């Protein structure tokens, strides 16, 4: 039986629709504020603008799209929000210094470091920006993804007496979910909870959930579930909220020898990843050279047609018609072969609405990282499937929602959460973790997972230094470090704490020995919930010559940037320090769960205990570290040189 009183699915979905409208309006207004009212330096800092840029080579890709390469200064390492599929617009400064926007929008095809490939709408737009001095590019608000989500919610609400209506009632309503009667399979390379999860996936008629806490091998289990499903079905679709998550599971499937077709461009840039994209496979097809020649002829003939008259014009028009007919037939032939050979179609949830997938249906849909996906986005892909398997962990990062009222109203409550609470019989939780020292694992296991997590024997007691303490808290309360508010977007900064964090990192590396760190590739993660603190830490590291040989082993990012990653040593700067006990963003405990559980062997937390322990979670964590690890008070007089007092 379901574990909660289940509301009407239609009422539930209508509420989601209204909350999504709130989020849409809020994001549109916020974006307008960021890009129209803020100056260029502010936009660059906010990650929505590159300036100045140069427009370099251009070409037509295999999908017959006009591509321009955009580059920014190689020394610019400012964080940005440019990614595949997002719309952009170009601007320039005229002779009077006024900002002028070009009259067309474009779409990002690929971004890596300081290079961006952009799909232009036509050749006139290319002429506008090539060779243009003082050129800039910024994100452009386009509601396409929202329109797609609204459409998906409408479709599922209006569904009657069909497969989608049945899935809606089984997932959200009071109807019992059904199981197939299958003989359980034994997979000796999986542990018991992983094997049980795969069997539940295979037996599910409508829906199943793989709940994977940190380090429990969720991806391994999901890949195995996909592989075993493909023994019984011809083709499945695999989706996730982000391109990075799609790439990660797709790469693992490739390693198992599965033929994957990636719709959309990968963010993980290497030859293996690029080789399974629709675009790369399209241009590798034997018929593609003929198609490319036909397209070139079409472009050349179209340009000449305007200048021709009489019989010559009529002859050229007929030739153009024949060439277009030939091109369409070749496109259909190549497309059919690519989809016919693929066993897995991989794309983002919103990407499942891509025109290349129009009219296609899948026996099974797998949604990875489902805890980070808006419910509406999930329904886009579910509308193309007969059953759905969700994998993720609702105790880790939630979806990104910008409107506080929409989140508070329930937009941040994901489909994964609803299924776990309403249909617990569909859920398999993975219980053995292979990442963390037992002392690091114990507290998040108790707080978030009812103590069900167990450390695998091979990681239970592993460490870097003999007799080292796996978990430490550097308490800065006596130093009276103060936080500063930069702005609403970037949040808080605590410069003395950032400097102390880098000092502790250097001291720990010196304890290990630089040679050993380099030889064994011991890696370090520096985490803060606040972007401005992260940027300040990066600046300190960059200025310090000690870290030059170690830079490839040190990752500095926000909590969100570390989702799905792990490091040997993790240092966390919690930033907040005030007399009122306000901890703001740190109230989202799911982010702290992610931060803590990135560490394999050593976890170092820096924070003002007086401020933070006003919250029961941080108080319990502090007490746990006092009991199992080490509390180190930093002296106020000369924090850079004074000996620390250990508790």
């Amino acid at each position: 039986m379901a574990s909660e009183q289940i509301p009407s699915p239609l009422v539930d979905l209508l509420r989601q629709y209204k909350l999504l409208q709130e989020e849409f309006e809020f994001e549109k207004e916020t974006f307008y504020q960021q890009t129209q009212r803020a100056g260029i330096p502010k936009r660059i800092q906010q990650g929505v603008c590159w300036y100045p840029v140069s427009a370099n080579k251009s070409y037509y890709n295999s999908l017959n799209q006009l591509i321009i390469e955009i580059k920014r200064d190689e020394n610019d390492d400012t964080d940005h929000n440019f990614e595949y599929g997002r719309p952009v617009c170009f601007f320039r400064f005229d002779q009077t210094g006024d900002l002028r926007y070009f009259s067309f929008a474009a779409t990002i095809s690929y971004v890596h470091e300081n290079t961006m490939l952009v799909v232009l709408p036509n050749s006139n737009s290319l002429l506008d920006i090539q060779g243009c001095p003082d050129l800039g590019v910024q994100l452009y608000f386009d509601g396409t993804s929202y329109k797609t989500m609204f459409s998906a919610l409408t479709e599922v609400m209006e569904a009657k007496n069909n497969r989608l209506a049945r899935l809606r009632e089984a997932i959200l309503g009071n109807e019992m979910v059904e199981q197939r009667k299958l003989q359980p399979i034994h997979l000796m390379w999986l542990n018991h909870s992983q094997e049980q999860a795969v069997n539940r996936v295979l037996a599910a008629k409508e829906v199943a959930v793989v709940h994977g806490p940190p380090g429990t091998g969720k991806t391994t289990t999901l890949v195995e579930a996909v592989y075993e499903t493909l023994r019984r079905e011809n083709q499945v679709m695999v989706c996730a909220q982000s391109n990075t998550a799609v790439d990660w599971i797709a790469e693992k499937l490739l390693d198992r020898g599965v033929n994957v077709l990636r719709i959309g461009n990968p963010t993980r840039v290497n030859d293996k990843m690029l080789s399974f994209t629709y675009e790369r496979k399209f241009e590798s097809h034997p018929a593609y050279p003929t198609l490319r020649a036909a397209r070139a002829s079409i472009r050349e003939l179209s340009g000449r047609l305007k200048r021709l008259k009489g019989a010559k014009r009529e002859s050229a028009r007929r030739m153009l018609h024949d060439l277009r007919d030939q091109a369409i037939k070749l496109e259909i032939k190549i497309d059919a072969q690519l989809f016919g050979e693929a066993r897995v179609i991989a794309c983002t949830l919103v990407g499942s609405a891509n025109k290349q997938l129009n009219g296609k249906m899948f026996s099974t849909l797998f949604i990875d990282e489902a805890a980070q996906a808006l419910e509406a986005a999930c329904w886009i892909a579910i509308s193309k499937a007969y059953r759905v398997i969700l994998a993720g962990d609702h105790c880790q990062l939630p979806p990104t929602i910008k409107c506080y009222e929409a989140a508070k109203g329930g937009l941040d409550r994901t489909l994964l959460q609803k299924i776990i609470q309403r249909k617990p019989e569909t859920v398999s939780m993975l219980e053995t973790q292979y990442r963390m020292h037992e002392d690091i694992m114990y507290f998040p296991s108790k707080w978030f997972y009812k103590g069900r997590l167990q450390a695998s024997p091979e990681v239970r007691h592993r460490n870097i230094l003999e007799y080292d303490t796996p978990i430490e808290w550097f308490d800065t309360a006596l130093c009276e470090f103060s936080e500063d508010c930069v702005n609403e977007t970037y949040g808080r900064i605590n410069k003395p704490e950032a400097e102390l964090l880098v000092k502790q990192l250097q001291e720990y590396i010196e304890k290990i020995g630089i040679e050993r760190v380099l030889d064994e590739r011991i890696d370090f993660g520096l985490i803060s919930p606040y972007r401005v603190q992260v940027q300040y830490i990066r600046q300190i590291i960059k200025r310090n010559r000690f870290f030059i040989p170690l830079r490839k082993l040190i990752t500095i990012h926000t909590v969100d940037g570390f989702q799905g990653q792990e490091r040997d040593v993790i240092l966390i700067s919690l930033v907040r320090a005030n007399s009122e006990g306000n901890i703001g963003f740190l109230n989202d405990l799911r982010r702290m769960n992610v931060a803590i559980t990135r560490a394999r062997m050593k976890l170092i937390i820096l924070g003002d205990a007086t401020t933070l322990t006003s919250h029961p979670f941080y108080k319990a964590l502090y007490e746990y570290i006092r009991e199992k690890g080490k509390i180190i008070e930093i002296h106020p007089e000369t924090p850079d040189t004074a000996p620390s007092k250990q508790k």
Side-chain angles (χ1 to χ4, degrees), residues 170-198:
I171 290 171
L172 292 176
N174 285 302
E175 284 195 22
M176 294 291 290
V177 290
E178 295 183 16
Q179 298 282 316
R180 302 169 177 145
K181 289 185 178 178
L182 296 177
Q183 188 68 29
I185 58 171
H186 180 53
L187 303 166
M188 55 188 292
W189 50 93
L190 299 183
N191 65 43
H192 175 69
S193 62
Q194 290 172 333
E195 183 181 274
Q196 190 177 48
V198 171

Side-chain angles (χ1 to χ4, degrees), residues 60 64 288-308 315-327 330:
Y60 283 90
N64 209 26
Y288 178 65
T290 308
L291 173 60
R292 185 175 58 191
R295 286 171 172 172
S297 298
I298 289 167
R299 286 193 291 272
E300 191 268 335
L301 200 54
S302 296
R304 278 195 316 159
L305 195 64
K306 297 171 186 174
R307 300 190 298 272
L308 297 174
S315 173
R317 198 191 294 276
R318 283 196 300 271
M319 190 182 297
L320 191 60
H321 178 271
D322 291 344
L323 282 168
R324 283 176 175 154
D325 191 47
Q326 180 192 11
L330 285 170

Side-chain angles (χ1 to χ4, degrees), residues 9 16 125 185 283 286 311 334 353 395 398 417 477 528 543 558 566 591:
Q16 283 290 309
S125 55
I185 58 171
E283 63 190 22
I334 297 171
C395 301
Q417 282 177 282
S528 177
R543 290 197 302 263
T558 59
E566 56 188 73
R591 282 189 161 79

Side-chain angles (χ1 to χ4, degrees), residues 388-428:
V388 57
I389 313 301
L390 299 96
D393 180 14
H394 56 295
C395 301
Q396 294 189 64
L397 287 183
T400 301
I401 296 170
K402 295 174 181 174
C403 174
Y404 174 76
E405 292 301 322
K408 190 178 173 185
L411 190 62
D412 68 344
R413 191 157 182 251
T414 63
L415 196 59
L416 181 79
Q417 282 177 282
K418 290 179 181 178
I419 296 169
I420 287 173
Q421 290 172 339
R422 297 176 185 182
K423 311 285 172 127
E425 66 275 19
T426 67
V427 182
S428 303

